[in-house]
């Protein structure tokens, strides 16, 4: 059974049981009140008869009853004594018509309860035969009739029907609204089901659940939408990555095959072709290494060591490595402050090398690269500034993306696959730091890396 039907059925059952209990109570109440009235009448009758029996000789006129208010309508009880023929012998003074029996039709040998209208009032009457004990034996001597006004009971009887009718109408109304309300309340759930099945049948992760309001179901729909968004992003990135990797690998592989073909045709180990094969092989090895690093960075963060690293030493090391390469670009050391960080010296070196080689790569001959390391407000700040070609505002937000190259032909020609900055960023993030860039086309770029430094005692980040 569906959740919706289960809800409707359970609510219906609960209301019906409640209504049934209400019905029983309503219908049962007049009967139990009447039973109580009857019991009281019986108690009174027994008392009166027993008291009369104690007197000898027994006579109907000996019957005595408790005093009651003289007003018939307000009296709790009134009494009539009849002879065996049904003629009134005596009656209580609070009866307006004292010559008539209360209930002439109920004279018999067994006590009888009846309800009749007497003088315009609804009266519960008990008729008790009085058996006198004489020497000759037990003889029917007369009857005692005790009455009690039970107008309230009559009213109550009438009102119970009204109550039952109102209860039934309310129940029907509730059932009607439940059958309308439950599906309306569950509609967001049906939307989720519909979208989920659309996604699986059409393989389309771009679909979203329509959301309105802020109840639990709306929150669920929002959470599912967020999940879908994330899944879609991951899925797209994976597809893009696969396309990019295949593309990047195809170029060196084509070059290698071309050179092998050439050598086969020349029937000689052409040194130039061998160099090209070696270079392309090295490029592929770099690419695969970089991809591995990025893959690790994405699955739970880049694994890094947490050693005490003298950042200035690593920085100078990279600077020297760059200085020995002959380039038409001047690399200038601006300042180097002694800064210690907690991290992975090899990864930090890779970060700085990527930034500095990029600066040299994307600066035209005669240009300048200025590098520096300082400490500002408990952060190590590495700056790599160049007077190079710059990056347009449009490309700037994407340069840290994997495989993103501003000018593909030019970048490739300069040896890049578009992974260097993505790696630099994941290394900075893994060290609790960050990386940012400012640039202007034709003027140059400034890459800034900030890392948390260790305090003076070397016990933790300052
Ligand atoms: P690549 O290996 O292609 O250099 P990177 O991830 O290191 O890849 O850089 C991404 C792109 O950002 C490069 O293709 C280049 O267009 C641009 N870029 C990076 N550094 C600089 C810089 N210093 N000046 C100008 N453009 C840069």
């Amino acid at each position: 059974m569906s959740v919706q039907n289960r809800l409707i059925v359970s609510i219906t059952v609960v209301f019906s049981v409640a209504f049934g209990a209400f019905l029983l109570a309503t219908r049962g109440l007049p009967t139990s009140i009447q039973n109580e009235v009857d019991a009281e009448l019986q108690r009174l009758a027994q008392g009166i008869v027993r008291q009369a029996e104690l007197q000898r000789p027994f006579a109907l006129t000996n019957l005595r009853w408790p005093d009651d208010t003289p007003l018939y309508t307000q009296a709790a009880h009134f009494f009539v004594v009849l002879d065996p023929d049904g003629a009134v012998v005596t009656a209580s003074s609070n009866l307006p018509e004292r010559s008539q029996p209360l209930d002439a039709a109920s004279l018999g040998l067994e006590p009888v309860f009846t309800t009749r209208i007497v003088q315009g009032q609804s009266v519960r009457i008990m008729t008790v035969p009085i058996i006198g004990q004489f020497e000759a034996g037990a003889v029917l001597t007369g009857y005692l009739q005790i009455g009690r006004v039970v107008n309230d009971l009559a009213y109550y009887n009438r009102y119970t029907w009204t109550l039952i009718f109102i209860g039934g109408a309310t129940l029907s109304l509730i059932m009607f609204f439940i059958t309308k309300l439950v599906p309306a309340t569950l509609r967001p759930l049906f939307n989720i089901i519909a979208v989920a099945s659309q996604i699986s049948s059409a393989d389309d992760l771009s679909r979203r659940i329509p959301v309105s309001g802020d109840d639990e179901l709306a929150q669920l729909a929002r959470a599912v939408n967020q999940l879908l968004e994330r899944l879609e992003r991951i899925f797209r990135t994976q597809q893009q990555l696969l396309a990019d990797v295949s593309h990047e690998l195809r170029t060196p592989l084509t070059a290698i095959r071309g050179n092998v073909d050439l050598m086969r045709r020349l029937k000689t180990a052409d040194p130039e072709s061998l160099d090209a094969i070696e270079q392309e092989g090295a490029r592929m090895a770099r690419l695969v290494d970089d991809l591995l690093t990025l893959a690790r960075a994405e699955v739970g963060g880049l694994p890094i060591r947490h050693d005490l690293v003298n950042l200035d030493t690593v920085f100078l090391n990279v600077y020297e490595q760059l200085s020995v390469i002959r380039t038409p670009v001047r690399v200038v050391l601006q300042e180097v402050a002694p800064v210690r960080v907690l991290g992975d010296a090899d990864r930090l070196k890779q970060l700085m090398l990527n930034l500095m080689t990029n600066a040299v790569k994307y600066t035209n001959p005669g240009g300048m690269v200025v590098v520096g390391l300082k400490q500002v407000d408990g952060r190590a700040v590495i700056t790599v500034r160049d007077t190079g070609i710059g990056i347009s505002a449009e490309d700037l937000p994407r340069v840290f993306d994997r495989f993103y190259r501003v000018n593909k032909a030019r970048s490739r020609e300069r040896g890049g696959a578009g992974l260097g900055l993505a790696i630099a960023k994941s290394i900075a993030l893994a060290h609790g730091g960050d990386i940012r860039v400012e640039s202007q086309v034709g003027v140059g770029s400034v890459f800034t890396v900030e890392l948390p430094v260790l305090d003076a005692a070397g016990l933790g980040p300052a």
Side-chain angles (χ1 to χ4, degrees), residues 358 361-362 386 391 399 404-406 411 416-418 420-421 445 447:
N358 269 356
K361 240 175 12 178
Y362 298 108
D386 64 56
I391 306 163
V399 287
Y404 191 78
R405 289 176 304 211
V406 174
S411 301
L421 287 181
S445 316
F447 282 86

Side-chain angles (χ1 to χ4, degrees), residues 40-73:
E40 200 191 329
L41 292 178
Q42 195 164 15
R43 232 180 3 257
L44 259 170
Q46 274 174 356
I48 294 167
V49 172
R50 196 169 303 131
Q51 191 200 20
E53 278 172 356
L54 292 175
Q55 298 179 27
R56 299 266 173 237
F58 179 80
L60 286 181
T61 42
N62 285 344
L63 291 174
R64 292 280 174 273
W65 40 81
D67 282 340
D68 207 331
T69 167
L71 262 164
Y72 169 62
T73 48

